[in-house]
Structures are given as C-alpha cells and as structure tokens.
Amino acid sequence: MGGWSGLLLCLPLLVLLAAFVLYPLVKLTIDSFTAGDGLSNYSDALGSSGVRRALVTTLLASLAVTVLAVGMASLLAWYLRSVRRPWVRGVLWIAVLAPFWMGTVIKNYSLLLLLGRDGALNDFLGIFGIGPIEMLYKSGTVIFGIAYTMVPYAVFAMYSVLRSIDDSLIAAAEGMGATRLGALRTVVVPLALPGIVASSALVFAISVGFYVTPVLLGGGKVPFMANVIQDNLFTYFNYPKATAASMLLIVIAFAVVGIALRAVGRERLMRAMA
C-alpha cells in the first residue's frame, strides 16, 4: 500500500512533467524532421552564417561561463566546508542563495544598474579618476552575467562532494611532507573530480540555452542561439529552421551530460549531484 500511496503522491508531478517537458520535447523532435523540408531543415540551419556564428558564440561563451562559474564555486564551496565561524558560513550561504530569490529579469537589470556608463561601478572608479568605462554590450559582460546566475548551481554540486572528504586524508598528506597546496592538489582534487565534472556539465548544459542575459547585457551585439531561434520564430516566421536550431542545442546539452557520465561513471556523478 505504501508504494501505491507514493505513486499517487507523485502522479501530479508526473503529469506536469509529461505535459510540460516530455510532450514538447517529443513534438519538437518530430517537427524538426517533418515540418517544412524535413531533414533539409538541419542543412538550412547549419548552412546559415547567422546560425553558425551564434552557435560558435554560444558554445565558446558557455565554455567560458563553465570555467568561471565552477572555479568560483569551488572556492566558495571549499570555504563553506572549512569555515568554523557560524556567522561567516551563514553570510556566505545567503550570498550563494540570494540569486535564487530573485527573478532572472531582476538579476540582469541589477547588473545593468551596476555596470552601466552611469552605474555604481563607474561612479566608484570615477573617485580615482578612471572612466567612465563602457562595460555593457560586450561578450565578457554576457559571460559574467550568466556566470553570476550559474555559480549557485555549481556550489551545490561542489559542496556535497567536498563535504564528504575526510580532513584526516589532507593531514596525512601534509604529514608525509606535502605542502598545503600540494595536499589539496593531490588529495582533494582527485576526490572532488565527480563534483567538478557534474557541476561543469550542469552549468554548460544550462548556459547554452540562456536568452534574457544576452539580450539585456549584450544588447543584441552578442548573438546567442536562443536569440536566433526567437528571431526565426517571431521575426522571420521560419518554424522549421527554429526547430532544427533548437534540436542542435538539445543534442549538444545531452552530449555534454553523456560525456560526463562516461568520464566519471553514472553512480559517482549522481552521488556528486545528490
């Protein structure tokens, strides 16, 4: 009876998952092969210089976001694991969780106010006679904006792994003559590898689909695939090409997750993301 009760409790979630995730994904896949000219949709999408440029920009920017976000998250997660003062840990957790409490538009408009020509950062630099510096509508700004959103996701994956590492292993390495940095490199990094791979796969797979941040912080000058897909849908009314471009992103995201599974194994990857 307990099993059936659990299934009934999960039923609303399963219905929502099927209606809003599974069905759209299946329909998009079918439409990409059947709408318009069928398989030619993919050749049209890849044959477009605009799509190719947006795809390259999206992949390179997402890779940069992954390196930046996972690097920052690793430092934050390690400090959260190691800090002894409860109030410091509390402040850090608030800083990590704060992006989750804000909507996407609010976060990006906050960055607009901070990085704009008349923003708070330029006002601060003006005290030292620097600027104003044009920081908006550049690739680096878009990468920073996406990384700001993705750092908390990476922190969760890294923290669960780092927390499971026994301090005695680090002490043993230091007792055998390793420096603190050497102990971290030879003990902590190999043990944290599943978390690094898991957080990297998660950050990259989500980053390739960003839409609002490239529009607001990039000002249309940094083409992302999501923006190209929107243009094909609502400006050029080319639904077949939009479906093919969408499937390219989905395949890339699944491929990244598959590579992560292959690299560290399903069990270790799931444990890292738990």
Side-chain angles (χ1 to χ4, degrees):
M1 184 65 182
W4 286 107
S5 299
L7 184 61
L8 287 174
L9 288 173
C10 291
L11 187 59
L13 179 60
L14 294 174
V15 171
L16 290 174
L17 186 66
F20 295 106
V21 178
L22 185 60
Y23 169 73
L25 183 59
V26 171
K27 186 176 187 306
L28 179 66
T29 304
I30 294 173
D31 288 350
S32 70
F33 289 105
T34 59
D37 297 325
L39 288 174
S40 297
N41 296 331
Y42 287 92
S43 60
D44 290 343
L46 292 174
S48 168
S49 60
V51 172
R52 289 199 306 270
R53 180 180 172 223
L55 182 60
V56 171
T57 300
T58 301
L59 295 180
L60 291 178
S62 297
L63 181 61
V65 167
T66 301
V67 173
L68 181 61
V70 174
M72 294 174 62
S74 299
L75 295 176
L76 276 170
W78 179 257
Y79 198 70
L80 282 166
R81 173 208 181 272
S82 305
V83 67
R84 301 302 178 193
R85 297 176 182 175
W87 70 269
V88 176
R89 185 182 293 109
V91 170
L92 285 174
W93 272 121
I94 290 174
V96 170
L97 293 172
F100 284 110
W101 302 336
M102 298 184 293
T104 302
V105 175
I106 294 175
K107 284 184 285 191
N108 284 282
Y109 269 113
S110 299
L111 290 175
L112 279 175
L113 294 175
L114 177 66
L115 303 175
R117 192 173 182 84
D118 298 320
L121 185 55
N122 267 320
D123 288 343
F124 175 75
L125 293 175
I127 298 174
F128 305 98
I130 303 173
I133 301 174
E134 188 61 61
M135 288 177 276
L136 293 176
Y137 314 131
K138 300 180 184 297
S139 298
T141 307
V142 174
I143 291 170
F144 174 78
I146 299 176
Y148 169 69
T149 301
M150 296 308 304
V151 163
Y153 293 91
V155 168
F156 295 145
M158 291 301 304
Y159 180 74
S160 64
V161 172
L162 293 177
R163 192 179 179 186
S164 66
I165 297 176
D166 193 342
D167 286 332
S168 62
L169 296 176
I170 303 173
E174 292 178 336
M176 296 180 67
T179 62
R180 182 70 173 180
L181 184 61
L184 293 176
R185 180 176 57 83
T186 57
V187 175
V188 175
V189 172
L191 292 175
L193 185 60
I196 295 173
V197 175
S199 57
S200 297
L202 178 66
V203 170
F204 186 88
I206 296 177
S207 296
V208 295
F210 261 72
Y211 170 73
V212 175
T213 302
V215 170
L216 292 180
L217 300 184
K221 298 180 180 179
V222 184
F224 259 56
M225 281 294 286
N227 310 113
V228 172
I229 293 168
Q230 189 223 26
D231 288 340
N232 278 302
L233 281 174
F234 302 112
T235 302
Y236 306 115
F237 304 105
N238 193 339
Y239 176 72
K241 187 175 179 180
T243 59
S246 300
M247 284 304 301
L248 288 174
L249 282 186
I250 293 172
V251 169
I252 290 171
F254 274 111
V256 169
V257 175
I259 292 171
L261 287 170
R262 179 86 176 179
V264 300
R266 181 179 180 276
E267 182 179 347
R268 295 178 70 193
L269 189 67
M270 294 300 104
R271 188 164 58 245
M273 299 187 72

